[in-house]
Amino acid sequence: MGRREFLLGTLATVTAGIAGCSALGDSENAQGTYEPSAADNLAVAVGQLNKAALSVDEFQNGDGTEGPDNGSDGEGTPSEGDTQRRTFDASKPRERVTAARKAIARAEDNGAEQADVRAVRRYADGVGGTVDAVANVTTASNRLAEVDDSFDGDDIDTDAASATLAEATTASAAARTDQEDAETALASADRERLRAVEARYDALSSGVDTLLGYIVGVEGLAVGYDTYVAGIDGVQTAEDEVDAEKFDAARESFSGAQSSFSDAESEFTDAMEGVADDLQSDLTTGEERSRALDRLSAGYISLLDSRDHVSAAESAIERRATATRGQLSGTGARTRRQRRTDSRRGRPSGTTSASRSSRQHRSGRRRCSRSRTGT
């Protein structure tokens, strides 16, 4: 079947020249055409789909440099200088899927059995959905790698990171839709008929299941880091507010950031269930980053609370000191007023009430003595 499939896959319609035969007494060449049968067209379709499915399989296994649709740039391998990024050129596999659909239509027009047509068409839907899903999940993964690189610097552009994460989220959502469509198509296909025409049904079904684990991981990373970046934005705002001595506002910003980091940690943790093994470490890194900044934000909040306590204590001490100075000042004023009063009355400054009573008592005794003498 391989040789026949190759020839039919090269041309949709094979035209063969029929050489003139002298035995027939005809010196002119007769021309004729050969039209592939319905079975031939289905074979062409399956061959094209198998090749497209093989390119996806090789990409997933990291063997993209030797794939039939990968091109000279080594599709499926990490780009130079960055082991996190991978490229997948879906154009050639998509061309194969398109060619397969045309061959299926020709087979149907030529009277192919409807059950066979339906089975191969669903196989085409499964391959096409898988190709699209891989392309989208690769785009999402590369956008995430760009954001991850931005975390290496001291000054993180949160607006740019959020925009890139939005692209990753859009791509991962599309990948999930594509994967679900492929899974539905394959589940409804007649696998026995596909096996009979040598479709790579089992391998494709397994690849679609594996692909889901990558989509789950990419979705978790996209959502988790989107929340994480919101927390970083809150910390940056809080730091500006501290510099401006807006401490109450800074506390609120740190509190909001802490909440974001806590939510991000939960997103990373939840995504670990059902994720592909290759993405476990990436999710763990996100979880650890979120936990660290959660604690950092809590520490800043504690510092601001401590500052409030110190400020309250300082204010209380100042109030007590002011009150004490006022009391001392009032006592001194009363003492000065008393001295002025004593001076106006002809008494020495500082004379006490006890000394006044003693003088009055002696004066009375002298008056009494003079009275008795005069009697």
Side-chain angles (χ1 to χ4, degrees):
M1 179 178 183
R3 174 66 175 170
R4 179 164 168 268
E5 177 185 313
F6 172 77
L7 292 174
L8 293 176
T10 304
L11 293 174
T13 302
V14 179
T15 302
I18 302 176
C21 181
S22 59
L24 296 177
D26 187 358
S27 62
E28 296 181 0
N29 292 334
Q31 296 293 328
T33 60
Y34 170 75
E35 186 71 23
S37 67
D40 291 335
N41 278 305
L42 284 180
V44 170
V46 171
Q48 294 284 9
L49 294 172
N50 282 346
K51 289 181 179 179
L54 182 61
S55 68
V56 171
D57 182 61
E58 289 179 340
F59 172 80
Q60 288 179 313
N61 292 326
D63 299 329
T65 54
E66 298 178 0
D69 296 333
N70 291 339
S72 60
D73 294 334
E75 173 189 332
T77 59
S79 60
E80 184 178 356
D82 189 345
T83 56
Q84 289 182 317
R85 290 182 178 83
R86 302 181 73 193
T87 59
F88 178 71
D89 184 1
S91 60
K92 188 64 175 179
R94 283 171 175 159
E95 287 176 7
R96 294 190 181 280
V97 173
T98 299
R101 294 188 188 280
K102 292 178 179 178
I104 295 170
R106 287 195 300 270
E108 188 173 27
D109 292 340
N110 290 340
E113 187 175 346
Q114 283 301 307
D116 290 337
V117 170
R118 185 165 50 251
V120 177
R121 185 167 281 147
R122 288 177 179 171
Y123 181 50
D125 292 339
V127 174
T130 304
V131 170
D132 291 342
V134 170
N136 279 314
V137 80
T138 301
T139 297
S141 179
N142 290 337
R143 295 294 84 76
L144 288 169
E146 292 176 16
V147 173
D148 187 75
D149 289 345
S150 72
F151 294 152
D152 295 336
D154 295 332
D155 187 16
I156 299 174
D157 188 340
T158 55
D159 289 337
S162 295
T164 304
L165 285 167
E167 295 177 5
T169 301
T170 299
S172 65
R176 177 174 282 274
T177 299
D178 296 331
Q179 188 273 343
E180 290 175 348
D181 290 344
E183 189 174 43
T184 299
L186 293 175
S188 62
D190 188 332
R191 65 185 65 189
E192 296 305 323
R193 287 182 181 273
L194 290 176
R195 287 169 180 161
V197 294
E198 300 183 15
R200 302 183 75 254
Y201 176 86
D202 293 329
L204 183 64
S205 295
S206 178
V208 169
D209 291 339
T210 301
L211 183 59
L212 179 60
Y214 285 94
I215 294 172
V216 169
V218 168
E219 284 178 337
L221 288 167
V223 174
Y225 274 122
D226 187 58
T227 309
Y228 177 87
V229 168
I232 291 177
D233 187 64
V235 169
Q236 292 176 343
T237 299
E239 290 174 343
D240 292 340
E241 290 166 342
V242 168
D243 291 341
E245 298 186 357
K246 299 177 180 179
F247 300 113
D248 290 339
R251 183 186 290 101
E252 291 182 6
S253 295
F254 276 125
S255 180
Q258 183 184 16
S259 178
S260 294
F261 292 133
S262 178
D263 291 343
E265 183 180 353
S266 297
E267 293 290 348
F268 291 127
T269 302
D270 293 343
M272 289 183 185
E273 184 176 354
V275 73
D277 292 340
D278 294 349
L279 296 181
Q280 284 282 353
S281 61
D282 294 328
L283 290 167
T284 299
T285 298
E287 181 187 38
E288 291 172 349
R289 283 172 169 170
S290 300
R291 186 182 303 113
L293 291 186
D294 183 343
R295 293 173 179 173
L296 178 66
S297 299
Y300 276 119
I301 293 172
S302 296
L303 286 174
L304 289 170
D305 289 341
S306 298
R307 181 192 176 282
D308 285 349
H309 294 321
V310 171
S311 296
E314 290 175 343
S315 297
I317 292 172
E318 181 62 28
R319 286 195 299 272
R320 292 191 186 98
T322 300
T324 301
R325 287 194 297 269
Q327 291 173 357
L328 291 175
S329 176
T331 301
R334 287 194 297 274
T335 301
R336 288 192 295 273
R337 285 196 299 273
Q338 186 63 46
R339 287 175 180 173
R340 287 195 296 272
T341 301
D342 290 344
S343 177
R344 285 195 296 270
R345 292 176 179 177
R347 293 193 298 270
S349 176
T351 302
T352 64
S353 58
S355 63
R356 290 196 298 271
S357 298
S358 177
R359 287 195 299 271
Q360 291 171 357
H361 178 68
R362 289 195 297 270
S363 175
R365 290 177 58 187
R366 285 195 295 271
R367 286 195 295 271
C368 290
S369 296
R370 284 194 296 270
S371 176
R372 286 195 298 272
T373 301
T375 300

